[in-house]
Amino acid sequence: MAEKKENRYVTLLLTLVLSMAVGAVFMMIVGYHPLEAYIQLFKGAFVGKVNLGTTLQKFVPILLTGVGFSIAAKVGCFNAGIEGELYLGAIAAAWAGHYLHGIPAPLHLVICFMTAAAAGALWAAIPAILKVRWKVNEICVCILATYVAKYLTSWQRTYECKDGNPSDTQCFGGGHACQNHAAKPGQYRTVCGPSAGCGGNMADIQVHAGI
């Protein structure tokens, strides 16, 4: 078992080194210095609060969906609906961040995560029940359900969260949980306001999910 784990780490390391080597070759072909490029790549991802925050913003949803997929794979299930679960979990977390008040911030954050997990689990239960009860192919159901989840989230995001000017919208009943401010036409960024009680974290999942 220990030898197998060591081989896995060696494989991961070799994959990383080989991919960087291939990238370096292409950079040299087009006239760039590979070492300087990789240094700037590292700085752009990890140096500075904004850079690190942006990296985490993009990384965390991928990490969570990857963990969710791997757990299902361990028991022999192919969870093709993980994207839809992420979307509905994001909306559920933002809802909990806005509507639940009078809770200490650390506990509030945990509740937001638990609400998101519960929403995703309930959505995943649909293909699971259909598979167990009526032998319906779970992959087809998951893929089709993902579209439903995305459109539900888009509807919530576009219409239910709208309060007048679409370039300056407030979500969930005109509160301050998540506000969209258009820096440029068609480009929105979501920020979590004071009443969300989540320190600018949970409502931002909407942006993470690509909404």
Side-chain angles (χ1 to χ4, degrees), residues 93 96-97 100-115 196-199 202:
L100 302 180
H101 303 284
I103 305 173
L107 179 59
H108 200 174
L109 187 61
V110 172
I111 291 174
C112 289
F113 273 111
M114 292 177 64
T115 305
C198 59
M202 296 311 297

Side-chain angles (χ1 to χ4, degrees), residues 67-87:
V67 171
F69 184 88
S70 64
I71 292 174
K74 281 290 185 178
V75 296
C77 295
F78 184 79
N79 188 0
I82 195 73
E83 185 180 4
E85 295 154 26
L86 173 66
Y87 273 88

Side-chain angles (χ1 to χ4, degrees), residues 134-156:
W134 291 287
K135 306 300 181 183
V136 179
N137 187 287
E138 72 275 16
I139 297 178
C140 293
V141 176
C142 284
I143 293 174
L144 295 174
T146 296
Y147 285 101
V148 176
K150 291 172 71 173
Y151 282 120
L152 280 174
T153 307
S154 178
W155 166 75
Q156 175 74 36

Side-chain angles (χ1 to χ4, degrees), residues 107-206:
L107 179 59
H108 200 174
L109 187 61
V110 172
I111 291 174
C112 289
F113 273 111
M114 292 177 64
T115 305
L122 288 173
W123 192 251
I126 297 175
I129 293 173
L130 292 175
K131 172 70 174 180
V132 173
R133 183 68 179 82
W134 291 287
K135 306 300 181 183
V136 179
N137 187 287
E138 72 275 16
I139 297 178
C140 293
V141 176
C142 284
I143 293 174
L144 295 174
T146 296
Y147 285 101
V148 176
K150 291 172 71 173
Y151 282 120
L152 280 174
T153 307
S154 178
W155 166 75
Q156 175 74 36
R157 181 74 171 75
T158 305
Y159 297 102
E160 291 300 303
C161 295
K162 185 178 293 185
D163 184 19
N165 186 356
S167 66
D168 188 7
T169 58
Q170 296 181 339
C171 298
F172 303 110
H176 301 286
C178 56
Q179 297 177 332
N180 285 319
H181 303 281
K184 295 179 181 179
Q187 295 182 357
Y188 293 84
R189 59 185 177 86
T190 304
V191 294
C192 189
S195 68
C198 59
N201 293 302
M202 296 311 297
D204 283 354
I205 296 180
Q206 296 178 77

Side-chain angles (χ1 to χ4, degrees), residues 37-59:
Y38 283 126
I39 290 175
Q40 294 302 321
L41 179 66
F42 179 84
K43 289 182 178 179
F46 301 107
V47 178
K49 292 182 179 180
V50 175
N51 293 340
L52 180 59
T54 303
T55 299
L56 291 176
Q57 178 188 22
K58 303 298 183 183
F59 167 71

